[in-house]
Amino acid sequence: TPPAFADGSYTQINAVQVDPAGNTSPASANLSIVIDTTAPSAPTAFTATPTGTSTIALAWVNPVTDFASSTIRRSTTTLPTSITDGTQVTNTAGTSHNDTGLAAGIYYYAIFAKDAVGNISVRATSSATVAAADTTPPTISSIASSTTQTTATISWTTNEAATSTLAYGLTTSYG
């Protein structure tokens, strides 16, 4: 039975065989191994920001050491608790990703760092809400006008932020 190794680098490992008669083989060539059972740190500064009616921009800072990639998982019901929970959004060594094609609603995210041997960090989390597209035109109200010999002032209000345009002319066909 091979011995259990603690985390670390081992450079002088070799094998020797002894048969039932007591004959011992020559030692094998030395092997070098690295034992790594320590998970990397979780990514930090993880944010989820809606950037329209179907996209959430994700950004984070990866661990500085013992890092190979980050995996982001998404759910619409609760924060993902493991690297297999929810739907995978991306697996990358980068520090940002746009999650696109989303319907209106709240999205919960968890990000996990992985090292080169597959150890997985604890999660960092974030969430964001994609708003429904505004399909209702603004309502114009409180239209008022005042005139002088050389000027006309027309004012109105709208029920939501909007860009207004004034059409005018000498007839009802507006010029």
Side-chain angles (χ1 to χ4, degrees), residues 56-151:
I56 294 177
L58 304 167
W60 62 93
V61 176
N62 288 320
V64 175
T65 60
D66 195 28
F67 170 77
S69 66
S70 288
T71 298
I72 297 176
R73 305 294 291 196
R74 174 187 69 220
S75 173
T76 57
T77 57
T78 187
L79 288 166
T81 59
S82 73
I83 200 162
T84 59
D85 192 19
T87 301
Q88 182 169 308
V89 175
T90 188
N91 183 43
T92 180
T95 57
S96 65
H97 180 79
N98 285 331
D99 192 8
T100 61
L102 303 173
I106 189 164
Y107 292 87
Y108 301 94
Y109 295 93
I111 186 170
F112 301 86
K114 293 189 293 187
D115 66 14
V117 297
N119 296 314
I120 300 167
S121 74
V122 297
R123 68 184 179 165
T125 62
S126 192
S127 64
T129 300
V130 173
D134 181 358
T135 59
T136 305
T139 302
I140 298 173
S141 61
S142 303
I143 301 171
S145 65
S146 64
T147 59
T148 67
Q149 215 171 12
T150 58
T151 63

Side-chain angles (χ1 to χ4, degrees), residues 6-30:
D7 278 11
S9 296
Y10 299 87
T11 57
Q12 301 295 318
I13 299 173
N14 60 41
V16 176
Q17 292 290 329
V18 178
D19 66 18
N23 300 309
T24 303
S25 72
S28 68
N30 283 335

